[in-house]
PDB file of all heavy atoms in Angstrom:
ATOM      1  N   ALA A  96      39.407   7.635   9.574  1.00 81.00           N
ATOM      2  CA  ALA A  96      38.999   7.787  10.978  1.00 81.00           C
ATOM      3  C   ALA A  96      37.502   7.526  11.132  1.00 81.00           C
ATOM      4  O   ALA A  96      36.873   8.082  12.006  1.00 81.00           O
ATOM      5  CB  ALA A  96      39.360   9.204  11.466  1.00 81.00           C
ATOM      6  N   SER A 139      34.168   7.866  -6.293  1.00 85.00           N
ATOM      7  CA  SER A 139      33.358   9.068  -6.378  1.00 85.00           C
ATOM      8  C   SER A 139      32.066   8.775  -7.129  1.00 85.00           C
ATOM      9  O   SER A 139      32.032   7.979  -8.060  1.00 85.00           O
ATOM     10  CB  SER A 139      34.119  10.188  -7.089  1.00 85.00           C
ATOM     11  OG  SER A 139      33.290  11.321  -7.293  1.00 85.00           O
ATOM     12  N   VAL A 140      30.985   9.441  -6.690  1.00 87.00           N
ATOM     13  CA  VAL A 140      29.694   9.345  -7.377  1.00 87.00           C
ATOM     14  C   VAL A 140      29.264  10.713  -7.885  1.00 87.00           C
ATOM     15  O   VAL A 140      28.076  10.978  -8.084  1.00 87.00           O
ATOM     16  CB  VAL A 140      28.613   8.776  -6.428  1.00 87.00           C
ATOM     17  CG1 VAL A 140      28.919   7.354  -6.052  1.00 87.00           C
ATOM     18  CG2 VAL A 140      28.456   9.652  -5.195  1.00 87.00           C
ATOM     19  N   SER A 240       4.503   4.375 -25.364  1.00 77.00           N
ATOM     20  CA  SER A 240       4.217   3.697 -24.088  1.00 77.00           C
ATOM     21  C   SER A 240       2.737   3.811 -23.749  1.00 77.00           C
ATOM     22  O   SER A 240       2.159   4.898 -23.790  1.00 77.00           O
ATOM     23  CB  SER A 240       5.060   4.326 -22.969  1.00 77.00           C
ATOM     24  OG  SER A 240       4.657   3.833 -21.716  1.00 77.00           O
ATOM     25  N   GLU A 338     -27.126 -36.179 -21.585  1.00 57.00           N
ATOM     26  CA  GLU A 338     -27.421 -35.569 -20.286  1.00 57.00           C
ATOM     27  C   GLU A 338     -26.355 -35.925 -19.262  1.00 57.00           C
ATOM     28  O   GLU A 338     -25.952 -35.075 -18.446  1.00 57.00           O
ATOM     29  CB  GLU A 338     -28.790 -36.047 -19.792  1.00 57.00           C
ATOM     30  CG  GLU A 338     -29.942 -35.466 -20.587  1.00 57.00           C
ATOM     31  CD  GLU A 338     -31.266 -36.005 -20.082  1.00 57.00           C
ATOM     32  OE1 GLU A 338     -31.256 -37.005 -19.317  1.00 57.00           O
ATOM     33  OE2 GLU A 338     -32.306 -35.431 -20.441  1.00 57.00           O
ATOM     34  N   GLN A 513       2.398  37.452  21.056  1.00 84.00           N
ATOM     35  CA  GLN A 513       3.020  36.142  21.094  1.00 84.00           C
ATOM     36  C   GLN A 513       4.399  36.299  21.734  1.00 84.00           C
ATOM     37  O   GLN A 513       4.949  37.404  21.787  1.00 84.00           O
ATOM     38  CB  GLN A 513       3.179  35.539  19.696  1.00 84.00           C
ATOM     39  CG  GLN A 513       1.864  35.316  18.978  1.00 84.00           C
ATOM     40  CD  GLN A 513       1.432  36.515  18.178  1.00 84.00           C
ATOM     41  OE1 GLN A 513       2.248  37.226  17.624  1.00 84.00           O
ATOM     42  NE2 GLN A 513       0.126  36.756  18.145  1.00 84.00           N
ATOM     43  N   ALA A 557      10.244  22.881  22.190  1.00 95.00           N
ATOM     44  CA  ALA A 557      10.971  22.082  21.206  1.00 95.00           C
ATOM     45  C   ALA A 557      12.449  22.064  21.566  1.00 95.00           C
ATOM     46  O   ALA A 557      12.976  22.989  22.180  1.00 95.00           O
ATOM     47  CB  ALA A 557      10.784  22.646  19.794  1.00 95.00           C
ATOM     48  N   VAL A 600      24.278  16.668  40.125  1.00 91.00           N
ATOM     49  CA  VAL A 600      24.784  17.677  39.194  1.00 91.00           C
ATOM     50  C   VAL A 600      23.784  18.813  39.106  1.00 91.00           C
ATOM     51  O   VAL A 600      22.593  18.659  39.394  1.00 91.00           O
ATOM     52  CB  VAL A 600      25.005  17.074  37.779  1.00 91.00           C
ATOM     53  CG1 VAL A 600      26.046  15.982  37.826  1.00 91.00           C
ATOM     54  CG2 VAL A 600      23.713  16.547  37.212  1.00 91.00           C
ATOM     55  N   LEU A 629      19.302  36.059  24.129  1.00 95.00           N
ATOM     56  CA  LEU A 629      20.012  34.930  24.721  1.00 95.00           C
ATOM     57  C   LEU A 629      21.512  35.200  24.774  1.00 95.00           C
ATOM     58  O   LEU A 629      22.183  34.896  25.765  1.00 95.00           O
ATOM     59  CB  LEU A 629      19.714  33.673  23.915  1.00 95.00           C
ATOM     60  CG  LEU A 629      20.472  32.405  24.340  1.00 95.00           C
ATOM     61  CD1 LEU A 629      20.142  32.047  25.790  1.00 95.00           C
ATOM     62  CD2 LEU A 629      20.125  31.248  23.409  1.00 95.00           C
ATOM     63  N   VAL A 641      16.804  37.610  29.644  1.00 94.00           N
ATOM     64  CA  VAL A 641      16.839  38.925  29.003  1.00 94.00           C
ATOM     65  C   VAL A 641      15.640  39.003  28.064  1.00 94.00           C
ATOM     66  O   VAL A 641      15.414  38.083  27.279  1.00 94.00           O
ATOM     67  CB  VAL A 641      18.159  39.143  28.215  1.00 94.00           C
ATOM     68  CG1 VAL A 641      18.084  40.423  27.386  1.00 94.00           C
ATOM     69  CG2 VAL A 641      19.341  39.199  29.179  1.00 94.00           C
TER      70      VAL A 641
END
Side-chain angles (χ1 to χ4, degrees):
S139 174
V140 294
S240 171
E338 289 178 346
Q513 298 89 35
V600 298
L629 175 60
V641 171

